[in-house]
Amino acid sequence: MRVLLTQHAASAHLYLMVPIAWALKSAGHDVVIAGQPDIVDGIRRTGLTGVSVGVLSDVAARLAALPPGQHIYGSGHDLTEERAEVLTYPYVRDCLAAWASPLAFDLITDQSMYDDLVEFCRAWRPDLVIWDSITFPGPVAARACGAAHVRTTFGRDHWARMRDLFLTLRGDRDEDPVADWLTAKLGRYGCGYDEDLVLGQATVDTMPRWARFPLAMDHTYLPARYIPHNGPAVVPDWLIPVADRRRVCFTLGVSGAEMWAGQGSIALTDLFDAVADLDVEVIATVSPDRLPPGVKAPDNVRLVDFVPLNSLLPSCAAIVHHGGTGTTCTALAHGVPQLIVPAQLYDERGIALALAGQGAAVVVEPGDLTGDTLRKGLISLLDGPSYAAAATRLQRDAADTPSPADLVSDLENLVAARRER
């Protein structure tokens, strides 16, 4: 069958889809990945076929130029809100409406991506479209060409949780901002709205089972093991020898650089203050030219512009990071205890607290961050055997999840079932 995968111009979202794409390709299916021009070179470097759709996203520059009230991160509409007292019907309705608008989804993927993706799908005729959960040109194009479609999660599935809560709270009210938004998109191509366009005909979920929200609605989740993919890389020579002391990884991931021009949740000076006198080797995925003027890295800190986490983490006793999905799940795959200072891009704090609840992480809130609090948290993580034990347990749980190769038959069956209708 022909399979199209699509995501907006963010490497972290692309990297989550690559193992699924290769599993389908290895099973003999014809696979294409569609994305905005910003991400096409990244698609090419996966070894898979890419197609450019829409105009340049340039989302980091556009976010930086907008006043806070003109994008979702400054709007006060938090899709990850979980406090029961806040989740009233008006809040949930308005939150969904804000995301399905120029504040969020239309900022990430504009009309040009919808038009180009629909045109490509109507010409290429995929049997299945797999779409990133915030890339709605995917389901619209699938409907326009008659393909089956599923979405993939990025982090915990707050969009489904909020949608489920909205449908539960709405009662007999005749309003639905998400349906209205999608109906307008679909009408441009002569198509009508169905509820499966909101969450897909199924959802491929690469998050751990303990991170999944229970839903009142009937929706199919297809669990798939998270397979780390860090993009093209070569293992550096210095990483091959066995480390002579405990090694700690420090990273702020790729999304901070792409979305917020390198701003992260942890200042390098705090990191240096925390580890300078510890008997550890710190590998910090930070380019040396990002050091503040007059600041020198301690002797036990190695600054590297890039090293594949999948190669680095097996040698690490701990990782310090911002709470991004790819980083968190790669550390889980290797059974590495985590110290997380949550960023404020999406659900970093929520997943950090959930992981801490599993016993495998220490969380330092950004407002409490100093060199001293970071140091104390790292010592607790390194010297507390319970964290390593919990991380190992979660690693085993992850290994028991079906692999992307196992997922292929589920996707084939979904497409076959749709054809029979």
Side-chain angles (χ1 to χ4, degrees):
M1 63 185 179
R2 286 183 168 179
V3 184
L4 177 99
L5 298 95
T6 187
Q7 78 295 307
H8 69 102
S11 296
H13 291 245
L14 170 65
Y15 292 169
L16 284 168
M17 303 185 90
V18 168
I20 298 169
W22 267 113
L24 287 157
K25 181 79 170 177
S26 299
H29 298 296
D30 194 358
V31 175
V32 169
I33 302 181
Q36 292 150 308
D38 322 42
I39 200 70
V40 167
D41 189 53
I43 295 171
R44 178 184 61 79
R45 287 183 288 141
T46 69
L48 294 158
T49 301
V51 60
S52 179
V53 288
V55 300
L56 282 171
S57 168
D58 203 17
V59 68
R62 290 189 293 122
L63 279 170
L66 287 173
Q70 292 183 25
H71 61 71
I72 197 66
Y73 296 112
S75 69
H77 298 288
D78 184 1
L79 193 66
T80 69
E81 177 62 66
E82 296 185 63
R83 292 171 295 176
E85 67 271 20
V86 176
L87 293 172
T88 63
Y89 175 73
Y91 182 93
V92 173
R93 177 200 60 207
D94 294 349
C95 185
L96 291 177
W99 278 81
S101 82
L103 289 173
F105 295 148
D106 288 338
L107 177 69
I108 296 167
T109 53
D110 69 6
Q111 189 61 54
S112 67
M113 184 172 180
Y114 285 86
D115 289 343
D116 286 0
L117 193 62
V118 167
E119 181 181 18
F120 177 77
C121 285
R122 281 178 166 172
W124 194 61
R125 308 299 298 180
D127 300 289
L128 173 66
V129 174
I130 301 176
W131 49 283
D132 170 78
S133 60
I134 59 174
T135 306
F136 279 89
V140 170
R143 175 53 51 85
C145 73
H149 65 96
V150 302
R151 72 186 177 122
T152 59
T153 54
F154 179 78
R156 296 190 300 165
D157 198 0
H158 286 285
W159 178 251
R161 178 182 63 86
M162 279 289 197
R163 182 63 180 172
D164 187 63
L165 189 55
F166 169 79
L167 295 176
T168 299
L169 296 175
R170 181 178 60 172
D172 59 0
R173 297 178 180 88
D174 185 21
E175 57 182 353
D176 189 337
V178 175
D180 293 344
W181 176 72
L182 278 169
T183 296
K185 300 287 188 191
L186 292 156
R188 183 178 178 90
Y189 312 110
C191 303
Y193 170 82
D194 281 321
E195 181 64 22
D196 68 21
L197 293 160
V198 181
L199 299 181
Q201 292 160 347
T203 295
V204 176
D205 190 9
T206 55
M207 293 298 290
R209 59 185 177 183
W210 48 264
R212 189 172 305 145
F213 297 113
L215 301 180
M217 70 172 76
D218 182 19
H219 183 67
T220 300
Y221 279 95
L222 303 174
R225 188 188 318 157
Y226 175 83
I227 304 296
H229 176 79
N230 307 136
V234 175
V235 177
D237 292 341
W238 57 261
L239 185 53
I240 296 172
V242 176
D244 58 4
R245 53 183 168 171
R246 291 182 297 183
R247 179 174 282 165
V248 175
C249 171
F250 169 77
T251 181
L252 293 176
V254 296
S255 292
E258 291 182 348
M259 297 289 287
W260 295 108
Q263 298 180 40
S265 60
I266 308 171
L268 286 176
T269 51
D270 287 330
L271 174 72
F272 295 165
D273 289 345
V275 303
D277 65 344
L278 296 182
D279 185 23
V280 296
E281 177 192 18
V282 178
I283 309 300
T285 60
V286 176
S287 175
D289 60 17
R290 282 184 52 195
L291 283 177
V295 173
K296 180 180 180 296
D299 291 340
N300 63 342
V301 175
R302 182 192 292 267
L303 300 179
V304 293
D305 188 38
F306 173 79
V307 61
L309 289 185
N310 195 43
S311 299
L312 172 61
L313 286 182
S315 69
C316 291
I319 180 172
V320 179
H321 66 99
H322 62 301
T325 299
T327 305
T328 301
C329 289
T330 302
L332 282 170
H334 291 292
V336 180
Q338 307 181 43
L339 192 159
I340 303 175
V341 183
Q344 298 180 33
L345 288 175
Y346 180 57
D347 187 34
E348 291 84 357
R349 184 173 185 271
I351 193 62
L353 293 175
L355 187 58
Q358 293 291 320
V362 170
V363 179
V364 177
E365 297 287 358
D368 298 329
L369 178 64
T370 64
D372 187 54
T373 57
L374 197 62
R375 183 179 188 278
K376 289 178 179 177
L378 184 55
I379 290 173
S380 295
L381 202 66
L382 290 168
D383 294 344
S386 65
Y387 294 107
T392 299
R393 171 177 56 81
L394 296 181
Q395 180 187 29
R396 287 196 299 264
D397 288 348
D400 289 339
T401 305
S403 73
D406 299 321
L407 175 70
V408 171
S409 61
D410 291 329
L411 297 175
E412 292 169 340
N413 292 338
L414 184 147
V415 171
R418 294 284 163 178
R419 285 174 178 163
E420 292 172 0
R421 293 185 178 180

